[in-house]
Amino acid sequence: MAALDVDGTQTAVVTGGGNGLGADICRALHEAGFRVVVSDVDLTAAEGLAAELDSTGQTAVAVRIDVSRPDDFQSALEMIVERWGKAHVLVNNAARTEVKPLLDIDPADFNSILATNAGGCFAGSQVFGRHFKQNGYGRIINLASIAGQNGGTATGAHYAASKGAILTLTKVFARDLAAFGVTTNAIAPGPHDTPMVRSVLTDDKLPAALAGIPVGHLGDPKFVAKLIVLMAGPESGFVNGACFDVNGGIYMR
């Protein structure tokens, strides 16, 4: 507990926090008593949510992070240190997805999505991992996907490959940082009722998708947000290198 503030308050950064699942994560963390840095490439969306959480800016602020730019993570960390002294939690949520047949994917598009999804996870974990290691405490939580486990069915190969890479990065950071009080874990959601999933599973595709989910419905992103809150706390220190599957039974292991 020595690594936390005197009052026990933690500061959490959520990438892609302005909309969708990221916004649900920000709300859940803030409700649980975390100071929240809402980061997004869409600064307007991030500012709107931060104002909703705390219009005074004392417990919620917005910052623009393009996760394909490591310098953005460093700038955000410097802002946090200046404002609150240290950061405690990083949630790597930001991602791009695209539906395209395997043989039609342009290599440049493949590399671009890998750079955003896997590269952003690596850059954020590295920048904040150094900070966490120095302070002797930290929680890194990565949003992977069932697509990274089963190769994907409704998304492109570039998205699936990027999420598989995130699962591997989770293990690498978990192994290398554990001795310094820093844990790294992942969540691999299946199809949840989020704007990103709805953009892929349009009304004409949704019935077939639901038929392939053993529980018969889309997941609730608010549950994923609650799970992240649990993993972000000090009491989760014995959970490291794990991947929590939240997929309705589509992929069992």
Side-chain angles (χ1 to χ4, degrees), residues 50-80:
E52 171 195 319
L53 297 177
D54 182 359
S55 60
T56 70
Q58 293 183 20
T59 61
V61 297
V63 64
R64 186 181 188 278
I65 293 182
D66 177 344
V67 298
S68 66
R69 296 172 54 88
D71 287 349
D72 283 6
F73 283 104
Q74 187 62 45
S75 296
L77 177 58
E78 290 171 2
M79 179 275 291
I80 293 166

Side-chain angles (χ1 to χ4, degrees), residues 53 74 125 132 156 161 213 229:
L53 297 177
Q74 187 62 45
S125 299
F132 295 158
I213 303 174
V229 171

Side-chain angles (χ1 to χ4, degrees), residues 114-148:
L114 262 290
T116 298
N117 297 357
C121 178
F122 173 78
S125 299
Q126 187 181 59
V127 169
F128 278 83
R130 294 188 187 111
H131 176 74
F132 295 158
K133 176 181 176 180
Q134 179 181 5
N135 290 314
Y137 178 88
R139 299 284 181 262
I140 299 173
I141 305 166
N142 299 325
L143 268 296
S145 169
I146 188 176

Side-chain angles (χ1 to χ4, degrees), residues 4 8 10-14 21-36 53 88-91 137-143 183 185-187 221-237 239 244 246:
L4 303 183
Q10 293 193 77
T11 299
V13 181
V14 181
L21 175 59
D24 286 329
I25 294 168
C26 288
R27 292 187 180 100
L29 286 165
H30 191 262
E31 183 177 349
F34 291 75
R35 288 183 296 246
V36 176
L53 297 177
H88 306 88
V89 179
L90 171 66
V91 181
Y137 178 88
R139 299 284 181 262
I140 299 173
I141 305 166
N142 299 325
L143 268 296
T183 62
N185 294 287
I187 298 177
K222 290 182 174 57
F223 173 80
V224 174
K226 291 178 182 178
L227 183 56
I228 287 174
V229 171
L230 182 64
M231 295 166 63
E235 67 275 10
S236 68
V239 182
F244 294 85
V246 189

Side-chain angles (χ1 to χ4, degrees), residues 100-106:
K100 185 169 285 190
L102 174 64
L103 300 183
D104 295 339
I105 295 174
D106 187 292

Side-chain angles (χ1 to χ4, degrees), residues 194-249:
T194 65
M196 178 181 286
V197 170
R198 289 287 185 174
S199 71
V200 174
L201 296 179
T202 51
D203 290 344
D204 58 321
K205 297 178 181 178
L206 185 58
L210 295 181
I213 303 174
V215 300
H217 59 80
L218 296 177
D220 182 356
K222 290 182 174 57
F223 173 80
V224 174
K226 291 178 182 178
L227 183 56
I228 287 174
V229 171
L230 182 64
M231 295 166 63
E235 67 275 10
S236 68
F238 200 62
V239 182
N240 189 44
C243 175
F244 294 85
D245 298 342
V246 189
N247 59 41

